Amino acid sequence: MSETNPNIAVAFYKAVIEGRVEDAFRLYAGSPYRQHNPLIEDGMEGLRKVVTWLTDARCEIKRVFADGDHVILHSHWHGLSDNPRGEAVVDIFRLEGGKVLEHWDVIQPIPETSANANTMF
Amino acid sequence: MSETNPNIAVAFYKAVIEGRVEDAFRLYAGSPYRQHNPLIEDGMEGLRKVVTWLTDARCEIKRVFADGDHVILHSHWHGLSDNPRGEAVVDIFRLEGGKVLEHWDVIQPIPETSANANTMF
């Protein structure tokens, strides 16, 4: 993949999901790495502590957006919880010089029923 | 404001929040309007039915991103629920020809404690 911000952010995300946190940071992230997910400490160590949660999880990235230094992913996760419908997730990454330096996310369990037929994606 | 996609999406969002759903659609949205929030029906009528929820709510837009036809807002809401810390919200809008035609969102209550000092924003 060419080294555009979306490609770097997606490669980082996938490496973390696969449990390769050290690779993810060596290849794609910088330091300090500022974490805004309230369950995760700053930096590589924060992600190393939580990556075991992801062992049985899977993620389908539905959309990738980029605006300057930021990359936004809209994804459908399964296995983060026991919700059989999974979660809708948006991740926002901030990059500098081709390295991921900051992360925000918003996570919502997908409800059983919907007022429309369009799905959350 | 100039008629860029971010300005149109933000103006639409603010008009809906202020309860001016008909103005919002007349000025900034098209038809059909495809709704992905599972609590809201498609179209203007869907938003008209739920806008009463927003009477006591307030929203601070923290970040606005744009990528082609899409605009992404990262916001801190209060008053959507009785959570005193409010909710972290990402809205995604798709526009065509300067009109909002599709909406996705992800909403997460802000927890009481955090593993980092950075807030969800």
Side-chain angles (χ1 to χ4, degrees), chain A residues 47-59:
Chain A
L47 270 170
R48 278 164 57 98
K49 287 184 185 175
V50 302
V51 79
T52 53
W53 297 346
L54 307 179
T55 307
D56 296 321
R58 62 188 193 279
C59 165

Side-chain angles (χ1 to χ4, degrees), chain A residues 35-36 38 42 66-67 115 118-119, chain B residues 35-36 38 42 66-67 115 118-119:
Chain A
Q35 179 63 258
H36 293 266
D42 283 321
D67 184 350
N118 305 321
T119 84
Chain B
Q35 179 62 259
H36 294 265
D42 283 322
D67 184 351
N118 305 321
T119 83

Side-chain angles (χ1 to χ4, degrees), chain A residues 1 7 14 18 31 34 37 100 109:
Chain A
M1 289 197 296
N7 288 348
K14 289 184 174 176
E18 293 166 3
S31 180
R34 188 171 165 91
N37 177 310
V100 182

